[in-house]
Amino acid sequence: MILVIGFVISFSMAVANSLYIRAFDDANFTNSLNLGKPFVVEIYQSSGGKPESTDYGIYSDFAGKGILNGTIDIAVEGNYSEILRNNDTSYIQGNTKFSTKDNGTASFSFQAIGNYKPDGTFNSNGVGIFEDEAKGELSFLRNWVTIYKDQVDKNGNGTFLMWHLK
């Protein structure tokens, strides 16, 4: 009886592992995780700071400049709210608008988790979802889902990188 139960458990685990592996192989997830070069690079100066406690959040506007696909200069403006969580971690959400000198525009909403480090730096990882109203030379951004990384050094120098999640 114990031998039969052991065989059934082993067989069930082998089938489950086979289905799991096949599901990932069939969907070819490894290709979708190769992010390659970011399509947005933004360098900016941060004037924000860490929320004082988990009881209070901060709300702020921001502006910067960046380059899209290595060729399109963009102006960046937006706003965000940030709520401090435990262990110097924060939840961030907001809205951003990209615009070009030729009146191209694209807006996205975002959410992220950020971390304040003891050395005075800050980094966050998030997701951005572009709206359907993108116009002009930025119209290709309509309904894009993106992921991004953001890092600010102890002097407030920020770097924002964004990838299209295909």
Side-chain angles (χ1 to χ4, degrees):
M1 179 70 163
I2 293 176
L3 185 57
V4 171
I5 292 173
F7 174 76
V8 170
I9 291 172
S10 295
F11 180 75
S12 297
M13 289 175 60
V15 169
N17 284 336
S18 171
L19 293 174
Y20 174 80
I21 291 167
R22 190 170 55 237
F24 279 102
D25 289 345
D26 290 347
N28 207 2
F29 284 125
T30 56
N31 288 339
S32 64
L33 295 178
N34 181 4
L35 299 175
K37 184 177 176 182
F39 79 94
V40 172
V41 176
E42 179 188 353
I43 306 297
Y44 65 95
Q45 185 66 37
S46 174
S47 59
K50 179 178 169 182
E52 294 188 23
S53 77
T54 56
D55 295 331
Y56 300 99
I58 58 174
Y59 178 85
S60 184
D61 295 325
F62 60 88
K65 295 184 183 283
I67 191 157
L68 196 142
N69 286 334
T71 60
I72 302 171
D73 291 325
I74 55 173
V76 180
E77 60 183 30
N79 57 63
Y80 70 94
S81 62
E82 179 178 4
I83 299 170
L84 189 66
R85 293 181 172 180
N86 296 329
N87 300 326
D88 290 330
T89 299
S90 65
Y91 170 72
I92 307 157
Q93 65 180 358
N95 298 290
T96 301
K97 179 180 179 182
F98 291 165
S99 57
T100 67
K101 65 180 178 177
D102 296 326
N103 296 320
T105 60
S107 297
F108 66 93
S109 58
F110 63 88
Q111 295 184 352
I113 297 294
N115 295 288
Y116 289 92
K117 305 294 182 183
D119 64 359
T121 62
F122 173 79
N123 61 42
S124 66
N125 297 305
V127 60
I129 299 176
F130 280 86
E131 296 174 5
D132 191 36
E133 292 87 24
K135 298 176 186 170
E137 63 189 317
L138 300 181
S139 63
F140 68 94
L141 294 171
R142 287 181 184 145
N143 300 312
W144 273 25
V145 175
T146 62
I147 59 172
Y148 69 86
K149 295 178 86 53
D150 188 29
Q151 184 171 357
V152 180
D153 70 16
K154 64 183 177 182
N155 298 317
N157 301 306
T159 303
F160 176 89
L161 305 173
M162 180 179 265
W163 293 264
H164 180 201
L165 191 58
K166 299 177 185 179

